[in-house]
Amino acid sequence: MSGLPSLSPARMGYLCLMRKVIVSMNITLNGFMASADGALDWHFPFWDGEMSACISQQLDTADTILLGRRSYQVMADYWPCAARDPLANPTDASIARRMNSYRKIVFSNTLEQASWQNTRIMGGDIGNKILALKQQPGADMIIFGSGSIVQSFMRQGLIDEYMLWVHPVILQEGMPLFKDIRYNTNLQLLQSKAFSTGVVILYYKTRLRVVKSSV
């Protein structure tokens, strides 16, 4: 027989108190998180100050950023410089300061050194390490970009909430966010928010998946 272990009410309450893993991802209307070549330029024209303010509010609930190697390298090149930009508006400057000061965890078996401040490299068994991090004291953990990490987390049931920034763009080809799904998952819509640019954020909470017995 296969399935998930039953959880007592006390255990369920404990799980609700654990730190959450939240995915914040820009996607196209047809579900791509990047162009076929990995480019993200399709979402730049839609970004504005209102959306920056929303990111700032999200960072208020977190203290840790989770990243894959590629996303880490891009952000490590950008955010330290952005924090020193004298022309940055107060919201963007605040985001840059927090991105630099927050704890960053990079999941990679090939990255040897991390130059961005407050960064730790993790390899090996991601699942057990994330479960351990969830039980540590602290605020939520956010994944920005990092499609391969997101997909690995999805397959292991490690994601608690999705913050999907759905852009009014349809790409002919691209990298799908939801790929190689191993089980059905029901999501609960927590809220939604529409921006004047046409972007809509959909906030979803994952529910415990149910694996039916095979006998």
Side-chain angles (χ1 to χ4, degrees), residues 38-158:
L40 302 173
D41 54 347
W42 48 269
H43 82 77
F44 295 148
F46 297 94
W47 198 262
D48 64 4
E50 188 181 10
M51 295 168 70
S52 292
C54 191
I55 283 288
S56 182
Q57 292 172 3
Q58 185 184 32
L59 285 171
D60 288 340
T61 69
D63 63 7
T64 303
I65 310 298
L66 307 179
L67 299 163
R69 178 182 60 81
R70 292 181 181 177
S71 293
Y72 166 77
Q73 291 174 326
V74 171
M75 293 188 182
D77 285 340
Y78 175 76
W79 287 112
C81 296
R84 299 189 294 267
D85 184 358
L87 301 179
N89 63 55
T91 299
D92 290 344
S94 175
I95 292 173
R97 286 193 298 269
R98 282 178 287 173
M99 291 295 293
N100 289 317
S101 64
Y102 280 12
R103 181 187 188 190
K104 274 83 63 179
I105 298 177
V106 187
F107 294 94
S108 174
N109 292 317
T110 59
L111 188 66
E112 297 180 353
Q113 293 184 336
S115 58
W116 196 6
Q117 67 187 87
N118 301 324
T119 297
R120 177 184 176 187
I121 301 172
M122 281 190 179
D125 187 346
I126 290 178
N128 285 333
K129 290 178 179 179
I130 283 295
L131 290 175
L133 287 170
K134 283 189 171 189
Q135 297 178 56
Q136 293 178 3
D140 293 337
M141 298 175 282
I142 302 178
I143 307 178
F144 288 123
S146 306
S148 61
I149 297 300
V150 171
Q151 291 170 347
S152 176
F153 280 26
M154 283 193 292
R155 288 192 290 269
Q156 299 181 63
L158 298 173

Side-chain angles (χ1 to χ4, degrees), residues 180-193:
D180 299 329
I181 302 300
R182 296 177 180 174
Y183 51 82
N184 296 334
T185 302
N186 293 327
L187 304 177
Q188 177 185 351
L189 181 64
L190 299 178
Q191 60 177 308
S192 62
K193 180 177 178 61

